[in-house]
Amino acid sequence: MAGSTSVNAQVETVIDLEAIAHNVRVLRAYAGDAAVMAVVKADGYNHGAVEVARAAVAAGAAEIGVTTIDEALQLRAAGLTVPILSWLNGSHADYAAAVTADIEIGVSSVAGLRSVERGAREAGQTATVTLKVDTGLNRNGVPPHELPELLPALRNLVDEQVVRFRAVFSHLARADEPNHPANDRQRDRFLDAIAAAKEHGLEPELVHLANSPATLLRPDLAFDMVRPGIAMYGLNPVPDLVDADLRPAMTFQARVALVKRVAAGEGVSYGHEWVAPHDTTVALIPAGYADGVFRSLGGRFEVLLGGVPRPSVGRICMDQFVVDLGDNAEGVQEGDIAVLFGGGPGEPRAQDWADRLGTIHYEIVCAPHSRVVRRHVGGAELTHPRSAPPPPASTR
């Protein structure tokens, strides 16, 4: 997806950077005394990593988190100077470039530590590393039984000044179920790993565990820093448990390409899965499954067009879909904007699509792609950080 300042795009996502800043301030309040790391992996959850990172830092985020070194280098090249942590890289990654750019590298195995060592020696500089420990998610991260091998190796590299040891972190598997015992088990394993590091003289500068749902629901897991991802983009991962004042930052919209009459009994789109029950008017929206409008949503969602919800009818195609204007077509014309999902009054939500598709809103906002133009608004207001709002009265 290409960034653009055009306001005449046929299909676009509009990203409200003031909403990003607002959400960071809300999350800072939930975090209490803990710092906030803004997670902008996957091109800022498809919102634009550089722009989101700038807005988040201006609103008080202390650090940035990404998965790959390439993502981190992009942020450095754009002028971001705050600490940046990259935590998912294979042996092929350019660790020397990461060390040179002062990228903090998450280490999840002895082999990963050796890759960082090689990169540091190649760069001729000390690498900054953070230990990622597996406390029960069983993805990347050092499992407990490997710590006795990794910690002495890390201690030796610290003594040689090949690496600087900065932090310990882990990731929760069931944070959206705040009372599930797995969360406490992971906390205990996390504390055990920190204690093991200290036994080897590895005193972390900070430790962090909480993702978005834990930030909202488990203040006891905030430690030194929280790492909100989806919540920063205004999408609540636990809407049934906490009514956080989050504002969706993405609006997915398209301009009407055609308005036409369809006679009663005529079918619309491939397979004629929808047949007009009476004479009607339809609008053609030039966005399809090549742009992130899921084909399986055909006939199952609405857009906001002319201030009125309009149902999709017929199959969604690669490039287009159709909505029925019915008897309320007056004033709708080519070039009008149809909001597929957003955060404004009356607009469909990403969560609506997720509910219909049996998925999560993370996937929905990551879907717009291909020809979809991304446009950012609200950034001019983000010159200086703002104070965090008062802490919420309740998190349950």
Side-chain angles (χ1 to χ4, degrees), residues 69 73 93-102 105 115-116 118-125:
I69 288 172
L73 293 175
D94 193 346
Y95 290 97
V99 174
T100 300
D102 192 26
I105 304 168
S115 294
V116 176
R118 288 191 293 271
R121 296 190 189 281
E122 179 183 341
Q125 296 179 221

Side-chain angles (χ1 to χ4, degrees), residues 21 27 30 34 51 79 81 93 98 122 166 172 207 239 268 290 337 343 358 364:
L27 292 163
Y30 275 94
E51 294 83 0
T81 59
E122 179 183 341
R166 181 161 190 252
L172 295 164
V207 298
V268 168
I337 291 177
I364 303 305

Side-chain angles (χ1 to χ4, degrees), residues 143-229:
H145 66 271
E146 290 185 13
L147 285 173
E149 179 184 3
L150 185 141
L151 291 174
L154 178 56
R155 175 73 258 178
N156 289 337
L157 291 175
V158 169
D159 290 342
E160 289 184 55
Q161 298 185 346
V162 175
V163 304
R164 166 195 167 209
F165 172 58
R166 181 161 190 252
V168 179
F169 79 115
S170 189
H171 197 45
L172 295 164
R174 308 188 74 156
D176 55 349
E177 305 169 79
N179 297 319
H180 196 283
N183 294 302
D184 293 337
R185 284 199 301 271
Q186 286 199 256
R187 176 202 58 205
D188 293 345
R189 291 172 182 174
F190 186 53
L191 293 172
D192 288 344
I194 295 167
K198 291 180 178 180
E199 287 174 4
H200 286 79
L202 297 167
E203 184 76 36
E205 297 172 23
L206 72 164
V207 298
H208 46 101
L209 178 64
N211 55 5
S212 285
T215 299
L216 296 173
L217 296 170
R218 290 291 302 262
D220 60 309
L221 301 181
F223 290 97
D224 299 314
M225 186 163 63
V226 298
R227 299 190 313 273

Side-chain angles (χ1 to χ4, degrees), residues 305-325:
L305 174 57
V308 178
R310 316 282 187 170
S312 82
V313 292
R315 263 185 217 168
I316 292 171
C317 308
M318 183 181 291
D319 314 296
Q320 55 200 289
F321 66 91
V322 176
V323 296
D324 183 22
L325 304 180

